Amino acid sequence: MLVASFLPAVARVLQTLFPDCLWALDPKVAISPTTGSPQIALTFDDGPHPVYTPQLLSILERYQVQASFFWLGACVDRNPTIARAVYEAGHWIGLHGYDHQSFPLLSPSDVQAQLEQTRTSIVQACQIDAGWLRDVRPPNGLFTPNTLRHLRQGGYRPVMWSVVPIDWTCPGPAVVVDRVLRQTKAGSHIVLHDGAYGGRDVAQVVDRLVPTLLAKNFEFVTIAKFWQLKHNQ
């Protein structure tokens, strides 16, 4: 698909224009000082889902990989037990809005309400402190300079991506895996989906993708670690 090959170039341009967002890392800083392994982030949007997320969680546990999940508050409200299981497994949690409305189409107060409502849902499901939930990936990856300004004013950190295999169109696990492998390098920031769109294949994708990347000596780290590394760039 043309869009799949075009998006990485778009991400590189946007990273230059909006450096305060978390995109990819400089490959030179994304090398583990202890193992020498290139570090990457594996992230998932749109969950938690009652079927796809537990399947995914099982695969991540099998390979002992830590990932980062950007949740919709409405999905957390429907699946609080699954949300708690993801958190207790040690994965990083971020916000993706309450019901996937694009932030540029909302007023600043509505965006704030979406994020606060999602925060509340996660706090109640996972029994964690609200201040721990600072990372926000805008739905559909859409934002404006005003969106970013309001996020920063609210104490949030905007998180984007660099490897987007368009898995929500369900082109098949082999296609998604191939797209990710062709784009991934030290500092890559991969986004997949475990929600209603794309989640059908996510466990199969990750079950093929993770061991292949581990065999190439990649080390999976969370978005929290990526922020630490970004400050060293």
Side-chain angles (χ1 to χ4, degrees):
M1 181 185 288
L2 180 61
V3 175
S5 59
F6 180 64
L7 276 176
V10 172
R12 288 192 294 272
V13 172
L14 292 175
Q15 182 172 1
T16 302
L17 295 175
F18 302 100
D20 289 344
C21 295
L22 185 62
W23 302 84
L25 296 176
D26 183 333
K28 287 182 275 189
V29 305
I31 302 295
S32 170
T34 55
T35 66
S37 298
Q39 296 174 317
I40 57 177
L42 180 61
T43 70
F44 300 93
D45 286 1
D46 294 356
H49 187 276
V51 176
Y52 307 144
T53 302
Q55 293 174 345
L56 171 61
L57 199 58
S58 176
I59 302 298
L60 295 172
E61 182 180 6
R62 181 192 309 165
Y63 294 109
Q64 293 296 291
V65 163
Q66 282 193 313
S68 302
F69 290 77
F70 289 83
W71 281 339
L72 297 171
C75 292
V76 175
D77 286 342
R78 290 194 291 267
N79 305 287
T81 303
I82 296 171
R84 182 68 177 263
V86 173
Y87 168 70
E88 290 182 344
H91 302 291
W92 191 252
I93 309 301
L95 314 177
H96 198 45
Y98 188 79
D99 52 7
H100 214 277
Q101 295 187 62
S102 294
F103 288 173
L105 302 180
L106 303 175
S107 69
S109 61
D110 286 340
V111 171
Q112 183 67 19
Q114 284 258 332
L115 295 175
E116 288 302 317
Q117 191 174 8
T118 303
R119 243 184 180 176
T120 298
S121 298
I122 296 172
V123 166
Q124 291 175 348
C126 300
Q127 296 298 297
I128 57 176
D129 187 274
W132 191 77
L133 297 163
R134 299 176 55 201
D135 293 327
V136 176
R137 176 173 285 146
N140 303 308
L142 298 178
F143 63 89
T144 66
N146 281 340
T147 304
L148 299 183
R149 185 176 74 253
H150 290 302
L151 288 177
R152 288 193 294 271
Q153 288 174 347
Y156 296 104
R157 303 187 297 192
V159 177
M160 299 304 293
W161 30 253
S162 66
V163 177
V164 191
I166 322 292
D167 61 319
W168 61 85
T169 63
C170 296
V175 172
V176 175
V177 170
D178 179 66
R179 288 173 179 172
V180 173
L181 292 177
R182 283 190 285 110
Q183 298 177 38
T184 300
K185 59 186 178 180
S188 286
H189 182 170
I190 304 162
V191 59
L192 297 170
H193 295 75
D194 64 324
Y197 297 96
R200 182 188 70 193
D201 294 334
V202 71
Q204 293 183 60
V205 168
V206 173
D207 200 16
R208 298 185 191 187
L209 182 63
V210 166
T212 304
L213 290 171
L214 289 174
K216 294 176 180 289
N217 203 37
F218 283 102
E219 179 181 326
F220 293 89
V221 299
T222 66
I223 288 301
K225 180 65 174 180
F226 253 40
W227 278 116
Q228 294 175 18
L229 295 171
K230 177 177 170 63
H231 296 318
N232 295 329
Q233 292 188 169

